[in-house]
Each structure stands twice: as C-alpha cells, then as structure tokens.
Amino acid sequence: MSDNPNTTPLNEMDEDEMEDVRVTLTMDDDSEVECRILTIFDLDEQDYIVLLPLDDQGMDNEEGEVFIYRYFEDSEGNPNLEDIDEEEEYEAVADRFELLDEAEWDALLDND
C-alpha cells in the first residue's frame, strides 16, 4: 500500500478506473510500448495483469495482442511486473483471462 491516501492501488481499482491508466513497457530491444490495463485478477493467490498495447495514436491495437505478467506491489505501494517463465503457469493464466473475457462479453450482450 502506498502512504499517499489519495492513491488507490491498481489491484483495488475497478475496470473503469483502470481503463484510464497507462503503462509504458521497455521491451528487450529498448523500444517502449504504451499499454492500457485490461484487467488485474488473481489465480492461486498470485495477481496477474493483462495489458493491451496501444498504437501510435494511443488507440487499442487492432490485432488483439495482449501482454500478461505477474503483478505485485512493493512495500511502498509501487506496482511491479514480472515475466511468467513457466509454460504451465502461463497457460493457466491465459485460460483464466479467456474465461474472464468471455464472461465480460456475455454480460455486455445481456445488457443489449
């Protein structure tokens, strides 16, 4: 948790609040990619974050590519991302994200 009472930790924000947050990733080739947060969810007591890369105009990419990382906050409330190195863990997280994504679409369709 952050010592600043006006700062809400990312994993405590609702989906609408997260949509406005931007994350800049530095890639292996030192290029930077700006992303927006799609969701943060937990699986087996570990938080994960799903980021959607934005195009040059700051709009969602049309390819539907996403980045998935382990997510945690340090003792001062600073967000941190960590690569998922094990294939089994990545598959479980990706499957969970797909289920969340399907449920969100179903909810949107039910509201129409």
Side-chain angles (χ1 to χ4, degrees):
M1 283 275 189
S2 174
D3 291 331
N4 183 344
N6 298 320
T7 303
T8 302
L10 289 176
N11 60 352
E12 293 180 15
M13 290 182 176
D14 65 30
E15 299 289 326
D16 291 333
E17 291 174 310
M18 274 191 251
E19 190 170 306
D20 294 330
V21 177
R22 298 295 182 256
V23 176
T24 302
L25 299 176
T26 302
M27 308 309 282
D28 291 337
D29 64 359
D30 291 328
S31 64
E32 292 185 344
V33 176
E34 186 175 5
C35 303
R36 74 176 176 90
I37 300 171
L38 288 181
T39 190
I40 297 173
F41 62 91
D42 79 348
L43 179 65
D44 297 331
E45 298 183 24
Q46 170 64 56
D47 284 339
Y48 295 92
I49 189 169
V50 181
L51 303 174
L52 180 69
L54 303 176
D55 65 18
D56 294 336
Q57 288 76 41
M59 304 300 290
D60 295 352
N61 75 72
E62 293 184 14
E63 296 83 35
E65 174 185 27
V66 296
F67 300 129
I68 302 175
Y69 295 95
R70 280 189 208 107
Y71 174 81
F72 61 95
E73 294 179 2
D74 66 19
S75 61
E76 296 178 11
N78 298 311
N80 289 282
L81 306 181
E82 189 174 82
D83 288 332
I84 302 170
D85 295 326
E86 295 187 26
E87 187 174 339
E88 185 176 309
E89 178 185 7
Y90 183 83
E91 291 296 325
V93 172
D95 287 347
R96 173 72 188 273
F97 172 64
E98 286 179 27
L99 290 173
L100 291 173
D101 195 37
E102 287 175 19
E104 184 175 300
W105 279 111
D106 289 345
L108 286 173
L109 293 174
D110 287 342
N111 290 330
D112 289 342

